[in-house]
Amino acid sequence: MKKWILNAGICIMLSGCAQTLDLKKQTFTIELGQDVYANPNLYMKEDRLVDQKRLKVVPVTNGIAIKDNRFISVGKDILEVGEYDFKLDYDGDATPFVIKIKDTQPPTLTNTPSSIEVGYLEKIDWDSVFQASDLSGVTYESANDLTSTSGEKDTVVKIKDRYGNTIEQPIKVVVR
């Protein structure tokens, strides 16, 4: 059997040594849309000297691909919301860790008009009014009877993504 001696962070082969890698933390939480890189140095403490060519981050959870040194969900440009198992691998010795992708940001609005004009009984296309966007999609909630009578009505439209992040936008609806 081979043994190794760890001296100043460098393994010297005598006859067998398991590298234990110290992680910065066990679980990393990253906002949806931020790049999740395959760079091992982002996840391990800097106090260990290891041969960087033999160190790699390996996804354990299925459905993950690597594109341009970034982890992505297969068929997507980002890693989707979820919890993913990874391992830091050094010559077959693995140190497991988790990356959680969360969506905590509300949708963004491209357009924020203070009022709109619509026809009597016309269905309002809120997407064309606010042009909201979010990586996880958007939905709109408003009063249903806004165009059932003529006149001006002040209302608040709730714009939210599929994870419940919401922005409220006040608007005056003028029904002609």
Side-chain angles (χ1 to χ4, degrees):
M1 176 177 218
K2 296 177 186 173
K3 186 172 183 182
W4 292 73
I5 295 176
L6 188 60
N7 184 2
I10 301 171
C11 256
I12 303 169
M13 186 168 100
L14 294 177
S15 67
C17 175
Q19 267 300 334
T20 57
L21 302 172
D22 293 326
L23 296 171
K24 290 180 182 177
K25 49 188 162 181
Q26 190 61 40
T27 301
F28 297 84
T29 303
I30 300 173
E31 182 66 29
L32 177 66
Q34 290 183 344
D35 289 331
V36 181
Y37 291 103
N39 180 353
N41 293 320
L42 296 173
Y43 307 102
M44 62 182 264
K45 290 183 180 176
E46 296 178 23
D47 62 350
R48 296 298 299 262
L49 298 175
V50 294
D51 183 353
Q52 294 296 311
K53 293 177 185 172
R54 295 168 28 200
L55 183 64
K56 60 186 172 189
V57 179
V58 179
V60 175
T61 303
N62 291 329
I64 299 175
I66 296 178
K67 179 182 179 184
D68 301 325
N69 199 39
R70 297 179 303 113
F71 292 108
I72 59 172
S73 296
V74 172
K76 305 285 183 178
D77 289 329
I78 59 174
L79 198 56
E80 294 182 311
V81 170
E83 188 171 310
Y84 304 94
D85 294 319
F86 286 85
K87 64 182 176 180
L88 203 51
D89 185 274
Y90 189 76
D91 283 345
D93 291 323
T95 304
F97 66 97
V98 173
I99 294 179
K100 289 183 181 180
I101 305 297
K102 291 189 172 185
D103 183 354
T104 63
Q105 299 298 311
T108 56
L109 305 179
T110 303
N111 194 20
T112 56
S114 58
S115 67
I116 60 168
E117 191 172 310
V118 296
Y120 174 73
L121 295 178
E122 182 180 332
K123 181 174 170 45
I124 301 172
D125 177 9
W126 292 117
D127 196 43
S128 67
V129 173
F130 295 114
Q131 300 168 2
S133 63
D134 191 276
L135 289 171
S136 60
V138 295
T139 59
Y140 299 89
E141 290 180 9
S142 67
N144 289 330
D145 62 347
L146 289 172
T147 63
S148 62
T149 58
S150 297
E152 296 182 2
K153 299 170 183 118
D154 290 318
T155 191
V156 175
V157 177
K158 290 183 182 180
I159 306 158
K160 60 184 179 178
D161 66 23
R162 67 185 274 198
Y163 297 102
N165 302 303
T166 304
I167 187 168
E168 294 185 354
Q169 186 63 37
I171 190 165
K172 180 180 295 214
V173 177
V174 180
V175 181
R176 42 180 160 40

